[in-house]
Amino acid sequence: MLDFNDPIAISQTKNTPDELRAAVRTKIAELDDAIAKIKTQLAAADMRRQERRGRLDADWYHKARTAMRHLQRERGELIAVAASLPDPRAELKDRIIAVARTYFDPADWESIVERAHTFGKEERN
């Protein structure tokens, strides 16, 4: 299993970005499920407390909140990992540009790039 908390392990993995993205999504779903379970336990404990007009077990409550906080932190780190993975649309765009560039001489290509930079700016002004 890939350690998502180790950026070196992520960068050295043999998995494709799509496989990594799928693994991250799966792990985030597992974390969301665990967080939801803790929230449900906290809500159930609070309802029991209200029913018997008693107190919550402070130690248990603190442990549950701490566990939830750690899971939420790990979830945030995974979202950052997913955001750092290369975007397949950007890779496709780069390949299309590389192929299209072979059809033009450098001067024509420069004029195309110049036009692309100004494209849409006239409409906004």
Side-chain angles (χ1 to χ4, degrees):
M1 180 71 187
L2 184 60
D3 180 9
F4 292 107
N5 295 322
D6 184 2
I8 294 172
I10 292 170
S11 66
Q12 293 177 347
T13 184
K14 303 241 187 293
N15 295 344
T16 66
D18 290 335
E19 293 170 337
L20 279 174
R21 198 173 284 105
V24 167
R25 275 195 300 265
T26 300
K27 183 66 175 172
I28 288 173
E30 290 171 6
L31 291 172
D32 286 344
D33 188 43
I35 290 168
K37 286 178 183 177
I38 292 173
K39 286 180 177 180
T40 301
Q41 290 175 357
L42 288 168
D46 189 45
M47 289 174 63
R48 283 191 303 272
R49 178 196 61 82
Q50 291 175 18
E51 180 182 293
R52 67 177 194 270
R53 292 183 172 81
R55 300 174 70 146
L56 273 177
D57 179 7
D59 288 337
W60 175 84
Y61 180 82
H62 176 70
K63 287 177 186 176
R65 292 288 301 189
T66 300
M68 190 169 64
R69 195 170 45 250
H70 286 297
L71 292 172
Q72 288 169 333
R73 178 191 48 79
E74 186 177 350
R75 183 182 189 281
E77 290 171 356
L78 284 175
I79 289 173
V81 166
S84 70
L85 292 174
D87 182 11
R89 293 172 298 187
E91 291 177 1
L92 175 63
K93 179 183 69 174
D94 291 342
R95 289 193 301 268
I96 290 170
I97 290 170
V99 169
R101 193 172 193 168
T102 62
Y103 291 99
F104 298 97
D105 64 51
D108 288 342
W109 184 254
E110 284 300 318
S111 68
I112 291 170
V113 170
E114 222 173 274
R115 173 117 166 84
H117 280 294
T118 59
F119 186 77
K121 288 183 181 178
E122 299 101 20
E123 296 169 2
R124 285 186 234 142
N125 292 335

Short mmCIF file of all heavy atoms in Angstrom, two decimals, residues 17-69:
data_model
loop_
_atom_site.label_atom_id
_atom_site.label_comp_id
_atom_site.label_asym_id
_atom_site.label_seq_id
_atom_site.Cartn_x
_atom_site.Cartn_y
_atom_site.Cartn_z
N PRO A 17 -0.44 8.57 -13.04
CA PRO A 17 -1.21 9.59 -12.32
C PRO A 17 -2.68 9.23 -12.17
O PRO A 17 -3.30 9.52 -11.14
CB PRO A 17 -1.02 10.84 -13.18
CG PRO A 17 0.28 10.63 -13.86
CD PRO A 17 0.37 9.15 -14.11
N ASP A 18 -3.26 8.56 -13.17
CA ASP A 18 -4.67 8.16 -13.06
C ASP A 18 -4.86 7.13 -11.96
O ASP A 18 -5.85 7.18 -11.22
CB ASP A 18 -5.18 7.60 -14.39
CG ASP A 18 -5.32 8.67 -15.46
OD1 ASP A 18 -5.48 9.85 -15.08
OD2 ASP A 18 -5.27 8.34 -16.65
N GLU A 19 -3.91 6.19 -11.84
CA GLU A 19 -3.99 5.18 -10.77
C GLU A 19 -3.83 5.84 -9.41
O GLU A 19 -4.53 5.50 -8.45
CB GLU A 19 -2.93 4.09 -10.97
CG GLU A 19 -3.17 3.23 -12.18
CD GLU A 19 -2.00 2.32 -12.50
OE1 GLU A 19 -0.86 2.61 -12.10
OE2 GLU A 19 -2.23 1.32 -13.19
N LEU A 20 -2.89 6.79 -9.32
CA LEU A 20 -2.70 7.52 -8.06
C LEU A 20 -3.96 8.31 -7.70
O LEU A 20 -4.39 8.32 -6.55
CB LEU A 20 -1.51 8.47 -8.16
CG LEU A 20 -0.14 7.86 -7.96
CD1 LEU A 20 0.94 8.90 -8.22
CD2 LEU A 20 0.00 7.31 -6.56
N ARG A 21 -4.53 8.98 -8.70
CA ARG A 21 -5.74 9.77 -8.46
C ARG A 21 -6.87 8.88 -7.96
O ARG A 21 -7.58 9.23 -7.02
CB ARG A 21 -6.14 10.49 -9.75
CG ARG A 21 -7.07 11.64 -9.56
CD ARG A 21 -7.30 12.43 -10.85
NE ARG A 21 -6.15 13.27 -11.18
CZ ARG A 21 -5.27 13.02 -12.13
NH1 ARG A 21 -5.37 11.96 -12.89
NH2 ARG A 21 -4.26 13.83 -12.36
N ALA A 22 -7.02 7.70 -8.54
CA ALA A 22 -8.06 6.77 -8.11
C ALA A 22 -7.79 6.27 -6.68
O ALA A 22 -8.71 6.17 -5.87
CB ALA A 22 -8.14 5.59 -9.06
N ALA A 23 -6.52 5.99 -6.38
CA ALA A 23 -6.17 5.54 -5.03
C ALA A 23 -6.43 6.63 -4.00
O ALA A 23 -6.92 6.36 -2.90
CB ALA A 23 -4.70 5.10 -4.98
N VAL A 24 -6.12 7.87 -4.36
CA VAL A 24 -6.36 8.99 -3.44
C VAL A 24 -7.86 9.17 -3.21
O VAL A 24 -8.30 9.36 -2.08
CB VAL A 24 -5.71 10.29 -3.99
CG1 VAL A 24 -6.20 11.51 -3.24
CG2 VAL A 24 -4.20 10.21 -3.91
N ARG A 25 -8.65 9.08 -4.29
CA ARG A 25 -10.10 9.21 -4.14
C ARG A 25 -10.66 8.12 -3.23
O ARG A 25 -11.53 8.38 -2.39
CB ARG A 25 -10.78 9.15 -5.51
CG ARG A 25 -10.84 10.48 -6.22
CD ARG A 25 -11.84 10.44 -7.37
NE ARG A 25 -11.52 9.44 -8.36
CZ ARG A 25 -10.82 9.66 -9.47
NH1 ARG A 25 -10.38 10.87 -9.72
NH2 ARG A 25 -10.58 8.70 -10.32
N THR A 26 -10.15 6.89 -3.39
CA THR A 26 -10.60 5.78 -2.55
C THR A 26 -10.25 6.03 -1.09
O THR A 26 -11.08 5.84 -0.19
CB THR A 26 -9.96 4.46 -3.02
OG1 THR A 26 -10.33 4.24 -4.38
CG2 THR A 26 -10.38 3.29 -2.17
N LYS A 27 -9.03 6.49 -0.84
CA LYS A 27 -8.60 6.76 0.53
C LYS A 27 -9.41 7.91 1.14
O LYS A 27 -9.78 7.85 2.32
CB LYS A 27 -7.10 7.07 0.55
CG LYS A 27 -6.53 7.30 1.91
CD LYS A 27 -6.56 6.04 2.73
CE LYS A 27 -5.86 6.27 4.06
NZ LYS A 27 -6.01 5.17 4.98
N ILE A 28 -9.69 8.95 0.36
CA ILE A 28 -10.50 10.06 0.85
C ILE A 28 -11.90 9.57 1.21
O ILE A 28 -12.46 9.97 2.24
CB ILE A 28 -10.54 11.22 -0.17
CG1 ILE A 28 -9.18 11.92 -0.22
CG2 ILE A 28 -11.63 12.22 0.18
CD1 ILE A 28 -9.06 12.97 -1.30
N ALA A 29 -12.46 8.69 0.40
CA ALA A 29 -13.79 8.14 0.70
C ALA A 29 -13.76 7.35 2.00
O ALA A 29 -14.68 7.43 2.82
CB ALA A 29 -14.27 7.27 -0.45
N GLU A 30 -12.69 6.57 2.21
CA GLU A 30 -12.55 5.82 3.47
C GLU A 30 -12.46 6.76 4.67
O GLU A 30 -13.08 6.52 5.71
CB GLU A 30 -11.31 4.93 3.43
CG GLU A 30 -11.40 3.76 2.46
CD GLU A 30 -10.08 3.04 2.29
OE1 GLU A 30 -9.10 3.37 3.02
OE2 GLU A 30 -10.01 2.14 1.43
N LEU A 31 -11.68 7.84 4.52
CA LEU A 31 -11.55 8.81 5.60
C LEU A 31 -12.87 9.51 5.87
O LEU A 31 -13.24 9.74 7.04
CB LEU A 31 -10.46 9.84 5.28
CG LEU A 31 -9.03 9.30 5.27
CD1 LEU A 31 -8.07 10.34 4.74
CD2 LEU A 31 -8.61 8.84 6.66
N ASP A 32 -13.60 9.87 4.81
CA ASP A 32 -14.91 10.51 4.98
C ASP A 32 -15.85 9.59 5.76
O ASP A 32 -16.60 10.05 6.63
CB ASP A 32 -15.52 10.86 3.63
CG ASP A 32 -14.87 12.07 2.98
OD1 ASP A 32 -14.17 12.82 3.68
OD2 ASP A 32 -15.08 12.25 1.76
N ASP A 33 -15.80 8.30 5.45
CA ASP A 33 -16.64 7.33 6.14
C ASP A 33 -16.27 7.25 7.62
O ASP A 33 -17.14 7.25 8.49
CB ASP A 33 -16.50 5.96 5.48
CG ASP A 33 -17.49 4.96 6.02
OD1 ASP A 33 -18.67 5.32 6.19
OD2 ASP A 33 -17.08 3.80 6.28
N ALA A 34 -14.96 7.21 7.91
CA ALA A 34 -14.51 7.14 9.31
C ALA A 34 -14.89 8.41 10.08
O ALA A 34 -15.32 8.34 11.24
CB ALA A 34 -12.99 6.92 9.36
N ILE A 35 -14.77 9.56 9.43
CA ILE A 35 -15.14 10.83 10.07
C ILE A 35 -16.64 10.85 10.36
O ILE A 35 -17.08 11.26 11.44
CB ILE A 35 -14.72 12.03 9.19
CG1 ILE A 35 -13.19 12.15 9.18
CG2 ILE A 35 -15.36 13.33 9.67
CD1 ILE A 35 -12.65 13.10 8.12
N ALA A 36 -17.44 10.39 9.40
CA ALA A 36 -18.90 10.34 9.59
C ALA A 36 -19.27 9.41 10.75
O ALA A 36 -20.18 9.72 11.53
CB ALA A 36 -19.58 9.90 8.31
N LYS A 37 -18.57 8.29 10.87
CA LYS A 37 -18.85 7.36 11.97
C LYS A 37 -18.57 8.01 13.33
O LYS A 37 -19.34 7.85 14.28
CB LYS A 37 -18.01 6.09 11.82
CG LYS A 37 -18.50 5.18 10.73
CD LYS A 37 -17.59 3.96 10.59
CE LYS A 37 -18.05 3.09 9.44
NZ LYS A 37 -17.17 1.94 9.21
N ILE A 38 -17.47 8.75 13.41
CA ILE A 38 -17.14 9.42 14.68
C ILE A 38 -18.19 10.48 14.99
O ILE A 38 -18.64 10.60 16.13
CB ILE A 38 -15.72 10.03 14.63
CG1 ILE A 38 -14.68 8.91 14.59
CG2 ILE A 38 -15.47 10.93 15.83
CD1 ILE A 38 -13.26 9.39 14.36
N LYS A 39 -18.59 11.25 13.97
CA LYS A 39 -19.62 12.27 14.19
C LYS A 39 -20.93 11.64 14.67
O LYS A 39 -21.60 12.18 15.55
CB LYS A 39 -19.86 13.07 12.91
CG LYS A 39 -18.74 14.04 12.58
CD LYS A 39 -19.05 14.80 11.30
CE LYS A 39 -17.97 15.82 11.00
NZ LYS A 39 -18.24 16.57 9.77
N THR A 40 -21.27 10.49 14.09
CA THR A 40 -22.49 9.79 14.51
C THR A 40 -22.38 9.32 15.95
O THR A 40 -23.34 9.45 16.73
CB THR A 40 -22.75 8.58 13.58
OG1 THR A 40 -22.88 9.06 12.24
CG2 THR A 40 -24.00 7.83 13.97
N GLN A 41 -21.22 8.80 16.32
CA GLN A 41 -21.02 8.37 17.71
C GLN A 41 -21.11 9.54 18.68
O GLN A 41 -21.71 9.42 19.75
CB GLN A 41 -19.66 7.68 17.86
CG GLN A 41 -19.57 6.34 17.19
CD GLN A 41 -18.17 5.75 17.27
OE1 GLN A 41 -17.24 6.38 17.76
NE2 GLN A 41 -18.03 4.53 16.76
N LEU A 42 -20.53 10.68 18.29
CA LEU A 42 -20.61 11.86 19.14
C LEU A 42 -22.06 12.33 19.29
O LEU A 42 -22.49 12.67 20.40
CB LEU A 42 -19.75 13.00 18.57
CG LEU A 42 -18.23 12.82 18.68
CD1 LEU A 42 -17.51 13.86 17.83
CD2 LEU A 42 -17.80 12.91 20.13
N ALA A 43 -22.80 12.33 18.20
CA ALA A 43 -24.21 12.77 18.26
C ALA A 43 -25.04 11.80 19.10
O ALA A 43 -25.87 12.24 19.91
CB ALA A 43 -24.78 12.86 16.85
N ALA A 44 -24.80 10.50 18.94
CA ALA A 44 -25.54 9.50 19.73
C ALA A 44 -25.22 9.64 21.21
O ALA A 44 -26.12 9.56 22.06
CB ALA A 44 -25.22 8.09 19.24
N ALA A 45 -23.95 9.87 21.53
CA ALA A 45 -23.56 10.03 22.94
C ALA A 45 -24.20 11.28 23.52
O ALA A 45 -24.64 11.29 24.68
CB ALA A 45 -22.04 10.11 23.05
N ASP A 46 -24.29 12.35 22.73
CA ASP A 46 -24.91 13.57 23.21
C ASP A 46 -26.41 13.37 23.43
O ASP A 46 -26.97 13.88 24.41
CB ASP A 46 -24.66 14.72 22.23
CG ASP A 46 -25.10 16.05 22.78
OD1 ASP A 46 -24.81 16.33 23.97
OD2 ASP A 46 -25.76 16.81 22.05
N MET A 47 -27.05 12.62 22.54
CA MET A 47 -28.48 12.36 22.72
C MET A 47 -28.73 11.53 23.99
O MET A 47 -29.66 11.80 24.75
CB MET A 47 -29.05 11.64 21.50
CG MET A 47 -29.14 12.55 20.28
SD MET A 47 -29.63 11.71 18.77
CE MET A 47 -31.24 11.15 19.20
N ARG A 48 -27.88 10.54 24.23
CA ARG A 48 -28.01 9.74 25.46
C ARG A 48 -27.79 10.61 26.70
O ARG A 48 -28.49 10.49 27.70
CB ARG A 48 -27.02 8.57 25.46
CG ARG A 48 -27.45 7.42 24.56
CD ARG A 48 -26.60 6.18 24.78
NE ARG A 48 -25.17 6.41 24.58
CZ ARG A 48 -24.55 6.30 23.41
NH1 ARG A 48 -25.24 5.97 22.33
NH2 ARG A 48 -23.26 6.51 23.32
N ARG A 49 -26.82 11.52 26.59
CA ARG A 49 -26.55 12.43 27.71
C ARG A 49 -27.76 13.30 28.00
O ARG A 49 -28.17 13.47 29.16
CB ARG A 49 -25.34 13.32 27.38
CG ARG A 49 -25.03 14.34 28.49
CD ARG A 49 -24.13 15.45 28.01
NE ARG A 49 -24.67 16.23 26.92
CZ ARG A 49 -25.54 17.24 27.04
NH1 ARG A 49 -26.00 17.57 28.23
NH2 ARG A 49 -25.96 17.90 26.00
N GLN A 50 -28.37 13.83 26.95
CA GLN A 50 -29.55 14.68 27.14
C GLN A 50 -30.72 13.89 27.71
O GLN A 50 -31.47 14.39 28.54
CB GLN A 50 -29.95 15.32 25.81
CG GLN A 50 -28.97 16.36 25.31
CD GLN A 50 -29.35 16.89 23.94
OE1 GLN A 50 -30.49 16.74 23.50
NE2 GLN A 50 -28.40 17.51 23.26
N GLU A 51 -30.86 12.65 27.26
CA GLU A 51 -31.96 11.80 27.72
C GLU A 51 -31.85 11.52 29.21
O GLU A 51 -32.84 11.58 29.94
CB GLU A 51 -31.94 10.49 26.94
CG GLU A 51 -33.03 9.52 27.32
CD GLU A 51 -32.90 8.23 26.52
OE1 GLU A 51 -33.10 8.29 25.30
OE2 GLU A 51 -32.58 7.19 27.14
N ARG A 52 -30.65 11.25 29.67
CA ARG A 52 -30.50 10.92 31.09
C ARG A 52 -30.08 12.13 31.93
O ARG A 52 -29.84 12.01 33.12
CB ARG A 52 -29.51 9.77 31.27
CG ARG A 52 -28.09 10.05 30.92
CD ARG A 52 -27.21 8.83 31.21
NE ARG A 52 -25.82 9.20 31.20
CZ ARG A 52 -25.03 9.19 30.14
NH1 ARG A 52 -25.50 8.81 28.98
NH2 ARG A 52 -23.78 9.56 30.25
N ARG A 53 -30.01 13.29 31.27
CA ARG A 53 -29.63 14.55 31.92
C ARG A 53 -28.32 14.40 32.71
O ARG A 53 -28.18 14.88 33.82
CB ARG A 53 -30.74 15.03 32.85
CG ARG A 53 -31.98 15.46 32.10
CD ARG A 53 -33.03 15.99 33.06
NE ARG A 53 -34.14 16.57 32.37
CZ ARG A 53 -35.14 15.90 31.84
NH1 ARG A 53 -35.16 14.59 31.87
NH2 ARG A 53 -36.14 16.53 31.26
N GLY A 54 -27.40 13.72 32.05
CA GLY A 54 -26.12 13.47 32.70
C GLY A 54 -24.98 14.20 32.00
O GLY A 54 -25.19 15.24 31.38
N ARG A 55 -23.80 13.64 32.11
CA ARG A 55 -22.61 14.23 31.52
C ARG A 55 -22.00 13.25 30.54
O ARG A 55 -22.16 12.04 30.67
CB ARG A 55 -21.60 14.56 32.62
CG ARG A 55 -22.14 15.54 33.65
CD ARG A 55 -21.16 15.70 34.75
NE ARG A 55 -19.99 16.41 34.26
CZ ARG A 55 -19.29 17.25 34.97
NH1 ARG A 55 -19.61 17.46 36.23
NH2 ARG A 55 -18.25 17.86 34.48
N LEU A 56 -21.26 13.80 29.60
CA LEU A 56 -20.49 12.96 28.69
C LEU A 56 -19.21 12.53 29.38
O LEU A 56 -18.67 13.25 30.22
CB LEU A 56 -20.11 13.74 27.43
CG LEU A 56 -21.09 13.77 26.28
CD1 LEU A 56 -20.55 14.65 25.16
CD2 LEU A 56 -21.36 12.39 25.73
N ASP A 57 -18.71 11.37 28.97
CA ASP A 57 -17.40 10.93 29.44
C ASP A 57 -16.37 11.83 28.76
O ASP A 57 -16.14 11.74 27.55
CB ASP A 57 -17.20 9.46 29.08
CG ASP A 57 -15.83 8.94 29.51
OD1 ASP A 57 -15.09 9.67 30.19
OD2 ASP A 57 -15.52 7.78 29.14
N ALA A 58 -15.74 12.70 29.51
CA ALA A 58 -14.82 13.69 28.96
C ALA A 58 -13.64 13.04 28.25
O ALA A 58 -13.20 13.51 27.19
CB ALA A 58 -14.34 14.63 30.05
N ASP A 59 -13.09 11.98 28.82
CA ASP A 59 -11.95 11.30 28.20
C ASP A 59 -12.34 10.72 26.84
O ASP A 59 -11.62 10.87 25.85
CB ASP A 59 -11.41 10.19 29.11
CG ASP A 59 -10.69 10.74 30.32
OD1 ASP A 59 -10.22 11.90 30.27
OD2 ASP A 59 -10.60 10.01 31.33
N TRP A 60 -13.49 10.03 26.80
CA TRP A 60 -13.94 9.45 25.55
C TRP A 60 -14.20 10.54 24.51
O TRP A 60 -13.81 10.42 23.34
CB TRP A 60 -15.22 8.63 25.77
CG TRP A 60 -15.79 8.13 24.49
CD1 TRP A 60 -15.43 7.01 23.81
CD2 TRP A 60 -16.77 8.79 23.67
NE1 TRP A 60 -16.14 6.91 22.64
CE2 TRP A 60 -16.98 7.99 22.53
CE3 TRP A 60 -17.51 9.96 23.81
CZ2 TRP A 60 -17.88 8.33 21.54
CZ3 TRP A 60 -18.41 10.29 22.82
CH2 TRP A 60 -18.59 9.48 21.70
N TYR A 61 -14.85 11.62 24.92
CA TYR A 61 -15.17 12.72 24.02
C TYR A 61 -13.88 13.31 23.43
O TYR A 61 -13.78 13.54 22.23
CB TYR A 61 -15.96 13.80 24.76
CG TYR A 61 -16.32 14.98 23.90
CD1 TYR A 61 -17.42 14.92 23.04
CD2 TYR A 61 -15.57 16.15 23.93
CE1 TYR A 61 -17.75 16.00 22.24
CE2 TYR A 61 -15.89 17.22 23.12
CZ TYR A 61 -16.99 17.15 22.28
OH TYR A 61 -17.30 18.21 21.49
N HIS A 62 -12.88 13.52 24.29
CA HIS A 62 -11.61 14.09 23.84
C HIS A 62 -10.92 13.15 22.84
O HIS A 62 -10.40 13.59 21.81
CB HIS A 62 -10.69 14.38 25.03
CG HIS A 62 -9.35 14.87 24.63
ND1 HIS A 62 -9.15 16.11 24.09
CD2 HIS A 62 -8.13 14.27 24.67
CE1 HIS A 62 -7.86 16.28 23.82
NE2 HIS A 62 -7.23 15.17 24.16
N LYS A 63 -10.93 11.85 23.13
CA LYS A 63 -10.30 10.88 22.22
C LYS A 63 -11.02 10.85 20.87
O LYS A 63 -10.38 10.80 19.82
CB LYS A 63 -10.31 9.48 22.84
CG LYS A 63 -9.32 9.32 23.96
CD LYS A 63 -9.44 7.94 24.57
CE LYS A 63 -8.53 7.83 25.79
NZ LYS A 63 -8.69 6.53 26.47
N ALA A 64 -12.34 10.90 20.90
CA ALA A 64 -13.10 10.88 19.65
C ALA A 64 -12.83 12.14 18.83
O ALA A 64 -12.63 12.06 17.61
CB ALA A 64 -14.59 10.75 19.95
N ARG A 65 -12.83 13.29 19.46
CA ARG A 65 -12.56 14.54 18.75
C ARG A 65 -11.14 14.58 18.19
O ARG A 65 -10.91 15.05 17.08
CB ARG A 65 -12.78 15.75 19.68
CG ARG A 65 -14.22 16.00 20.09
CD ARG A 65 -15.04 16.52 18.98
NE ARG A 65 -14.45 17.78 18.50
CZ ARG A 65 -15.01 18.58 17.64
NH1 ARG A 65 -16.18 18.29 17.16
NH2 ARG A 65 -14.42 19.68 17.25
N THR A 66 -10.18 14.06 18.97
CA THR A 66 -8.79 14.02 18.51
C THR A 66 -8.66 13.10 17.30
O THR A 66 -7.99 13.44 16.32
CB THR A 66 -7.86 13.57 19.65
OG1 THR A 66 -7.99 14.50 20.73
CG2 THR A 66 -6.42 13.52 19.20
N ALA A 67 -9.29 11.94 17.36
CA ALA A 67 -9.25 11.00 16.23
C ALA A 67 -9.85 11.65 14.99
O ALA A 67 -9.30 11.54 13.88
CB ALA A 67 -9.98 9.72 16.59
N MET A 68 -10.96 12.34 15.17
CA MET A 68 -11.61 13.00 14.04
C MET A 68 -10.71 14.10 13.47
O MET A 68 -10.60 14.24 12.24
CB MET A 68 -12.96 13.59 14.47
CG MET A 68 -13.78 14.08 13.31
SD MET A 68 -15.48 14.48 13.74
CE MET A 68 -15.27 15.82 14.86
N ARG A 69 -10.07 14.85 14.33
CA ARG A 69 -9.17 15.91 13.87
C ARG A 69 -8.01 15.34 13.06
O ARG A 69 -7.63 15.88 12.02
CB ARG A 69 -8.68 16.71 15.08
CG ARG A 69 -8.04 18.02 14.73
CD ARG A 69 -7.76 18.91 15.93
NE ARG A 69 -7.18 18.23 17.06
CZ ARG A 69 -7.80 17.97 18.21
NH1 ARG A 69 -9.06 18.35 18.38
NH2 ARG A 69 -7.19 17.37 19.20
#
